[in-house]
């Protein structure tokens, strides 16, 4: 990517600025972008802000393991000194924390802030790939190596969030990664403790109007709105889809009973299966995510509580795969037969020291056929003949006749399952899981496009936002 003559492209990574008691890294990102744009009027973006979901099985995540990258175009004379850009961002973050009454020491957050010239990121896609599908660490060597490339780490916000911050800025390099968009709306601060109220019919209308271009708005089987979170965080609702302009329709169609204080559109790896790396069974490790293909080698075992366990084998080994009730995949798993060829994606946990793959999606690729054959009737007396042994044919004890290759009377048992892809109901799908309606709609080409900040984010009620 080329910088134009007046503007230089920088990437800002942010993570772990939220806690169980409130806040959200996307909310901070909204504040930062709007503050930066009012401080430096010429600020532009070269991509929508990125909301990058990372390994969903990381034990220390707060909720959805999301990190944020801001892709900013600033006059090159400002980006010449990246340290001063970092200091400016740190001051804005301090303002945010003060206004939100977040005290890093007492809330236990582990914030990370990192800034890089876009060109300094070449060759670092492995950081994103590792963080989305495994456990990632930044040791002293890597820290020094990245610093020598000119990547600047905040001295103030330099805790565990740096892993997510680096993964977020390197996602853009992953040319194999599909993407979607999410428009997040934010509440007024005074509303955080109140229940959200979103008109159900307006969500269904939005869903109908934008079908094919948005997903996971409403679960028609369970009559349930899917766009609103439930905690005390600042998000009012989030709508997901294939392009930003369609998502903006939601701002006019979805009715809510409180003012929308701000909104931001993120480009994201949500709904893309980016974590479902194809792996062999012998390469699975605790907390790794992935997708395996293998043959069922045990009859499904139903555990107390309803979880279902099956053993799966590939040419490198075997592993227990568990399916849990909320995913409803237990209904599929309990009907698997020995010999079925399946593909399962999920993440690995240890059960008393034994690796178990927690399944979140299953495809039945080939079903085993159970054939039951009866011995043939004797051509003379009509009585059923007896099998003599392998290769020895059938004998009628009554007539003393042996037939080596008789036509057998066989029926093929009908499998209760059919070749298909099985997913949990929409409300039980994790952020990264690709929903059925997205198959065939993947985007692999991302274009560098200058975007005005106001097209990606707006604070509508500045006095209410923080
Ligand atoms: P929210 O979704 O509300 O933003 P969260 O679920 O993203 O919250 P964080 O508070 O961001 O949770 O915590 C996740 C922490 O785990 C961050 O510090 C991040 O750097 C770190 N992390 C994320 N992925 C990995 C990984 N693969 N390996 C090691 N650390 C990781």
């Amino acid at each position: 990517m080329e910088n134009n003559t007046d503007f230089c492209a920088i990437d800002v990574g942010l993570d772990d600025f939220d806690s169980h008691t409130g806040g959200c890294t996307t909310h901070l990102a909204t504040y930062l972008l709007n503050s930066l744009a009012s401080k430096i009027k010429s600020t532009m973006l070269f991509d929508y802000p990125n909301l990058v979901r990372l390994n969903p099985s990381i034990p220390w995540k707060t909720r959805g393991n999301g990190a944020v990258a801001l892709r900013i175009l600033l006059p090159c004379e400002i980006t010449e000194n990246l340290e001063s850009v970092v200091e400016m961002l740190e001051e804005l973050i301090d303002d945010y924390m003060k206004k939100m009454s977040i005290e890093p020491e007492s809330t236990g957050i582990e914030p990370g802030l990192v800034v890089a010239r876009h060109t300094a990121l070449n060759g670092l896609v492995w950081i994103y790939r590792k963080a989305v599908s495994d456990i990632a660490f930044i040791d002293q060597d890597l820290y020094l190596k990245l610093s020598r490339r000119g990547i600047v780490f905040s001295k103030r916000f330099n805790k565990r969030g740096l892993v997510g911050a680096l993964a977020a800025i390197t996602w853009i390099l992953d040319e194999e990664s599909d993407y979607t968009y999410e428009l997040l709306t934010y509440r007024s601060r005074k509303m955080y403790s109140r229940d959200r109220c979103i008109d159900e019919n307006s969500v269904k209308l939005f869903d109908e109007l934008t079908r094919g271009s948005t997903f996971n708005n409403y679960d028609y089987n369970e009559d349930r709105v899917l766009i609103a979170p439930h905690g005390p965080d600042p998000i009012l609702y989030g709508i997901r889809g294939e392009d930003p302009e369609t998502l903006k329709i939601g701002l006019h169609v979805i009715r809510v009973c409180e003012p929308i204080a701000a909104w931001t559109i993120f480009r994201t790896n949500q709904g893309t299966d980016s974590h479902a790396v194809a792996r062999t069974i012998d390469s699975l490790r605790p907390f790794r995510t992935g997708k395996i293909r293998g043959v069922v080698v045990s009859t499904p075992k139903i555990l107390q509580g309803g979880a279902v366990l099956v053993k799966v084998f590939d040419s490198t080994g075997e592993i227990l795969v568990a399916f849990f009730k909320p995913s409803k995949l237990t209904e599929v798993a309990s009907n698997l037969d020995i010999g079925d060829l399946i593909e399962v994606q999920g993440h690995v946990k240890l059960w008393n020291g034994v690796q178990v793959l927690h399944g979140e999606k299953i495809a039945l690729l080939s079903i085993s056929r159970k054939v039951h054959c009866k011995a043939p009737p004797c051509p003379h007396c009509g009585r059923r003949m007896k099998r003599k042994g392998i290769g020895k044919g059938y004998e009628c004890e009554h007539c003393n006749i042996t037939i080596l290759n008789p036509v057998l009377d066989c029926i093929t048992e009908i499998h209760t399952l059919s070749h298909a892809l099985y997913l949990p109901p929409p409300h039980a799908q994790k952020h990264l899981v690709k929903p059925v309606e997205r198959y065939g709609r993947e985007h692999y080409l991302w274009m560098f496009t200058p975007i005005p900040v106001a097209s990606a984010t707006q604070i509508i009620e500045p006095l209410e936002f923080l």
Side-chain angles (χ1 to χ4, degrees):
M1 189 180 308
E2 299 265 316
N3 292 331
N4 70 29
T5 46
D6 299 312
F7 283 79
C8 287
I10 61 161
D11 301 73
V12 175
L14 300 164
D15 196 15
D16 218 335
F17 284 89
D18 57 322
S19 71
H20 285 287
T21 53
C24 165
T25 306
T26 68
H27 190 246
L28 165 66
T30 298
Y31 176 76
L32 275 186
L33 267 186
N34 282 278
S35 309
L36 197 67
S38 45
K39 236 179 154 70
I40 305 167
K41 299 277 182 249
S42 53
T43 306
M44 292 279 284
L45 303 176
F46 62 94
D47 188 9
Y48 284 86
N50 294 174
L51 167 55
V52 182
R53 298 286 176 182
L54 301 171
N55 185 338
S57 74
I58 289 297
W60 46 84
K61 68 181 182 177
T62 321
R63 280 171 296 238
N65 204 5
V68 171
L70 305 177
R71 316 286 182 185
I72 304 173
L73 288 169
L74 284 175
C76 296
E77 72 249 27
I78 296 179
T79 62
E80 244 163 49
N81 183 350
L82 272 195
E83 275 79 9
S84 67
V85 174
V86 172
E87 278 163 26
M88 178 172 65
L89 293 169
E90 285 173 344
E91 275 168 29
L92 291 173
I93 294 173
D94 279 341
D95 285 351
Y96 174 85
M97 301 247 234
K98 239 181 253 147
K99 287 180 182 152
M100 288 290 287
S101 322
I102 299 174
E103 287 179 22
E105 287 71 30
S106 54
T107 47
I109 61 173
E110 299 250 2
L113 165 68
V114 68
V115 179
R117 267 186 206 94
H118 192 68
T119 45
L121 299 179
N122 282 342
L124 296 180
V125 67
W126 64 269
I127 299 181
Y128 164 69
R129 291 201 180 135
K130 175 106 181 149
V132 78
S133 61
D134 203 346
I135 300 205
F137 296 102
I138 302 172
D139 59 16
Q140 196 60 14
D141 276 358
L142 180 60
Y143 188 93
L144 289 175
K145 205 171 122 197
L146 297 177
S147 303
R148 277 199 290 270
R149 275 174 170 245
I151 295 179
V152 182
F153 292 88
S154 162
K155 295 196 178 58
R156 307 254 320 284
F157 304 117
N158 62 355
K159 302 233 171 101
R160 194 166 56 205
L162 285 181
V163 176
L166 276 171
I169 59 173
T170 50
W171 172 55
I172 204 165
L173 307 168
D174 191 348
E175 287 168 2
E176 282 160 34
S177 191
D178 174 22
Y179 58 87
T180 60
Y181 291 87
E182 178 159 18
L183 183 150
L184 288 174
T185 60
Y186 297 97
R187 317 183 79 182
S188 299
R189 222 184 140 182
K190 60 174 188 270
M191 303 300 289
Y192 288 179
S193 56
R194 306 219 193 139
D195 284 347
R196 291 168 181 82
C197 125
I198 295 175
D199 180 75
E200 198 169 320
N201 286 330
S202 71
V203 177
K204 286 193 205 165
L205 176 63
F206 173 71
D207 187 57
E208 272 167 38
L209 289 174
T210 61
R211 190 148 304 150
S213 184
T214 61
F215 55 93
N216 287 0
N217 298 310
Y218 194 84
D219 189 333
Y220 292 90
N221 288 327
E222 310 227 352
D223 271 336
R224 194 166 159 169
V225 168
L226 298 174
I227 63 173
H230 297 285
D233 57 284
I235 294 172
L236 178 58
Y237 66 77
I239 41 184
R240 297 167 178 206
E242 308 297 332
D243 75 274
E245 290 313 312
T246 308
L247 292 178
K248 281 186 185 165
I249 296 172
L251 291 172
H252 305 288
V253 175
I254 295 169
R255 289 199 302 272
V256 289
C257 348
E258 59 181 272
I260 291 175
W263 58 262
T264 302
I265 296 178
F266 293 88
R267 193 165 73 91
T268 159
N269 61 350
Q270 292 171 164
T272 66
D273 277 350
S274 188
H275 62 313
V277 181
R279 296 191 192 275
T280 51
I281 289 176
D282 67 345
S283 68
L284 295 174
R285 299 284 178 279
F287 302 113
R288 260 185 202 170
T289 63
K291 178 169 70 180
I292 59 157
R293 189 176 273 211
V295 175
V296 173
V297 286
S298 72
T299 35
K301 186 171 164 193
I302 300 172
L303 306 180
Q304 225 178 8
V308 175
L309 266 185
V310 285
K311 199 180 274 178
V312 176
F313 169 90
D314 74 5
S315 58
T316 68
E318 57 181 35
I319 189 157
L320 284 169
V321 183
F323 297 92
F324 299 91
K325 270 196 112 168
S327 75
K328 301 243 166 92
L329 295 178
T330 41
E331 289 160 26
V332 180
S334 57
N335 283 304
L336 288 170
D337 273 336
I338 291 177
D340 290 341
L341 177 67
I342 59 172
E343 190 169 78
V344 192
Q345 79 180 52
H347 63 268
V348 180
K349 289 265 159 102
L350 281 180
W351 291 20
N352 290 329
V354 176
Q355 293 196 141
V356 177
L357 179 67
H358 289 201
E360 64 183 19
K361 197 182 249 192
I362 175 170
L364 188 49
L365 303 177
S366 150
I367 52 181
S368 65
R369 302 210 174 268
K370 277 195 196 150
V371 180
H372 297 284
C373 296
K374 282 190 206 156
C378 170
H380 282 275
C381 67
R383 291 189 176 94
R384 209 152 281 284
M385 301 177 88
K386 273 212 174 123
R387 190 162 178 243
K388 285 176 80 179
I390 296 174
K392 292 186 182 150
Y394 290 78
E395 156 182 71
C396 174
E397 286 170 338
H398 199 72
C399 309
N400 220 0
I401 298 175
T402 296
I403 306 177
L404 270 183
N405 292 308
V407 177
L408 298 179
D409 196 359
C410 294
I411 43 164
T412 306
E413 207 178 273
I414 294 172
H415 204 304
T416 41
L417 299 172
S418 51
H419 292 172
L421 174 68
Y422 298 91
L423 270 84
H427 72 266
Q429 287 170 20
K430 295 205 173 88
H431 294 293
L432 278 164
V433 167
K434 174 153 74 173
V436 167
E437 57 269 46
R438 286 216 64 249
Y439 281 76
R441 295 190 197 279
E442 296 83 358
H443 317 262
Y444 292 113
L445 197 66
W446 168 79
M447 300 278 285
F448 176 104
T449 332
I451 302 167
V453 174
S455 300
T457 178
Q458 276 178 31
I459 295 182
I460 302 162
E461 307 264 5
L463 300 177
E464 306 273 322
F465 181 61
L466 291 185

